[in-house]
Amino acid sequence: MRSASVLLAAASLAGQAVAAPSAYFHSRVAVVDVSSADSSCNVTNQPIAPSQDPWYTAPYEFANEAPGTILRVRPAPGNLSTIAGNCSAAYNILYRTTGSRYNPTWAVTTLFIPQNVSGNGSTGALLSYQIPYDAVWIDASPSYALYGGVDADIGIALGKGYFVNVPDFEGNNASFTAGVLSGHATLDSVRAVLNGATRFGLPATTSYAMWGYSGGALASEWAAELQVQYAPELNFSGAALGGLTPNVTSVLYSIYDDVEAGLAPPAILGLTNQFPDVYAYVLSQLKTTGTYNATGFLATLNYTLDDNIGKYALKNMSAYFDGGLATLLSPLAQRVINSDGLMGYHGVPQMPLFVYKAVGDEVSPINDTDALVERFCGVGVNINYQRNSIGGHAAEGTNGNAAATAWLDSIFAGTFAASANATGCFISDVAVNVTDSQF
């Protein structure tokens, strides 16, 4: 993955047109070309970009409803169930959730129904799969972007008879890296699915677990932390968290002038757009002239993750601001980072965790995840943590996939509770080499 990104950056610096790597961090954020959709479908039933689709609005007085309440529901337009495979139907669900300032807001999730439900008819499995779409553009949200390609993990899970929930956890403002919102939106997406269990055909007793890598792990981990105080009635069977980014400041220092610098603009705007005063401050500090100016920085508002990686690779993000990095670490900005960008301070996960990360992760230092795991282990969280000596951030999405899948399967099969790792904290160094890319 490093080689693809470096070639992209080099070509960009040379003024050449080049396509961004299409699966960076296992993201599926392709923009849908509706004109190329299945012509056998009625054109009025084709997917429309969320920014243009009136369905993506909340009903009047939605704020009076409880978090997780279904506000709108529809069969997913077009042929999404066919794209996914092993799927009998797919639904879009618009539901009430809660922002980072604990304000009422809404989000959308996509629910995939398997062709053959696992279990004996009275039990079932629901996998909440958080996709790392890592953008501050609502049209990059999974409910729309999935039409450009459904992650293989989703089709595989459906083939096992699992229901699969895929939330647009960044919410209606695409608030990338806003931890509290992302956690709330993930929890409320599960609430919404369970609230509609009869309608969607979920068995009477359905166990549920979360899985996310990188930006998807961000939402999943925040959900695991917040569950005990925000959604105490939910009883998750487990959560698999790969490529965790526990500290957004550490990430910024790691990437701000490197190949992955494109993560910075959407993260800065996504985190602060939950806090209007801080957002306005950040905008006021952008330079208005020169090569690194506000126009170039704000272009991210209409970019997917792949666009961001291609546009900003190797550019110094501090150069866009009058005060350099100090702007992003000012007391005003630090207040937001402390409340919405640091994992480990909002609650103790009540479910078993499977955590996996590359020791050489170039996006988020391994020490940050080590410290988070140690913190949770110290208060009794059941954690199986695998530190891979092979590869970097993107590579671990592949290298750690089999172990995460096996762990989740044991959770849903009911065999985990009888395993040697059912209680306690287990930290192991592994060397899994499906790919040895450092990126």
Side-chain angles (χ1 to χ4, degrees):
M1 195 61 72
R2 167 72 168 188
S3 59
S5 297
V6 170
L7 288 173
L8 180 151
S12 176
L13 292 172
Q16 301 173 16
V18 61
S22 62
Y24 202 81
F25 302 161
H26 290 259
S27 174
R28 297 291 187 183
V29 290
V31 177
V32 181
D33 180 2
V34 175
S35 65
S36 64
D38 185 350
S39 61
S40 66
C41 296
N42 187 311
V43 69
T44 60
N45 192 38
Q46 295 307 304
I48 302 171
S51 62
Q52 303 171 37
D53 187 348
W55 188 86
Y56 285 81
T57 55
Y60 178 64
E61 293 189 342
F62 79 94
N64 295 330
E65 303 295 338
T69 298
I70 295 175
L71 304 175
R72 300 184 192 276
V73 64
R74 67 181 180 185
N79 61 342
L80 187 58
S81 59
T82 300
I83 296 172
N86 300 316
C87 183
S88 63
Y91 294 92
N92 294 146
I93 305 167
L94 190 148
Y95 58 95
R96 199 303 210 163
T97 190
T98 306
S100 288
R101 292 177 294 123
Y102 284 79
N103 53 304
T105 185
W106 56 268
V108 170
T109 194
T110 302
L111 176 66
F112 293 93
I113 311 299
Q115 289 178 339
N116 299 296
V117 178
S118 64
N120 60 15
S122 63
T123 61
L126 170 65
L127 176 64
S128 189
Y129 186 81
Q130 283 63 246
I131 292 176
Y133 55 112
D134 297 9
V136 71
W137 184 32
I138 194 171
D139 289 352
S141 300
S143 60
Y144 181 61
L146 283 166
Y147 289 91
V150 173
D151 297 60
D153 292 324
I154 294 174
I156 292 170
L158 288 165
K160 296 173 182 175
Y162 303 164
F163 292 78
V164 182
N165 172 59
V166 184
D168 298 353
F169 57 79
E170 293 179 6
N172 62 349
N173 283 326
S175 301
F176 173 43
T177 69
V180 173
L181 166 71
S182 298
H184 287 163
T186 299
L187 292 169
D188 285 326
S189 72
V190 174
R191 274 174 162 162
V193 170
L194 296 178
N195 284 337
T198 300
R199 175 174 189 167
F200 303 128
L202 272 72
T205 303
T206 296
S207 59
Y208 40 94
M210 296 182 286
W211 186 12
Y213 190 82
S214 189
L218 181 151
S220 304
E221 195 282 341
W222 279 91
E225 280 193 36
L226 291 163
Q227 176 271 323
V228 67
Q229 53 98 350
Y230 180 74
E233 82 284 3
L234 294 182
N235 184 22
F236 283 90
S237 297
L241 311 172
L244 276 172
T245 53
N247 185 320
V248 296
T249 303
S250 293
V251 172
L252 178 62
Y253 278 129
S254 296
I255 67 166
Y256 78 94
D257 61 352
D258 209 334
V259 172
E260 295 82 6
L263 294 172
I268 292 166
L269 297 179
L271 181 61
T272 59
N273 73 23
Q274 285 290 298
F275 303 85
D277 58 334
V278 184
Y279 188 76
Y281 166 74
V282 168
L283 296 186
S284 74
Q285 297 301 303
L286 288 167
K287 294 177 180 177
T288 57
T289 60
T291 302
Y292 293 87
N293 58 49
T295 299
F297 191 86
L298 296 177
T300 192
L301 293 170
N302 294 295
Y303 284 166
T304 66
L305 167 60
D306 288 345
D307 295 332
N308 282 312
I309 296 299
K311 171 71 174 181
Y312 301 107
L314 301 179
K315 292 186 177 179
N316 188 330
M317 292 297 105
S318 67
Y320 283 98
F321 296 92
D322 285 328
L325 284 183
T327 296
L328 305 176
L329 301 174
S330 67
L332 185 64
Q334 198 64 50
R335 172 172 56 85
V336 170
I337 291 170
N338 289 341
S339 68
D340 221 22
L342 296 177
M343 296 177 183
Y345 296 92
H346 287 72
V348 177
Q350 303 297 296
M351 65 207 73
L353 304 179
F354 178 77
V355 180
Y356 57 108
K357 186 166 183 173
V359 173
D361 192 308
E362 76 290 354
V363 171
S364 172
I366 189 69
N367 291 345
D368 285 350
T369 299
D370 290 347
L372 180 67
V373 168
E374 181 179 3
R375 184 183 187 89
F376 285 152
C377 285
V379 290
V381 181
N382 175 12
I383 303 178
N384 184 342
Y385 176 31
Q386 293 190 1
R387 306 167 78 254
N388 193 3
S389 61
I390 308 296
H393 187 83
E396 183 61 13
T398 297
N399 289 333
N401 186 278
T405 299
W407 187 86
L408 286 162
D409 286 344
S410 74
I411 289 288
F412 286 132
T415 59
F416 175 77
S419 70
N421 292 343
T423 59
C425 192
F426 302 89
I427 301 173
S428 56
D429 292 321
V430 301
V432 181
N433 191 12
V434 179
T435 173
D436 61 1
S437 168
Q438 290 302 304
F439 296 88

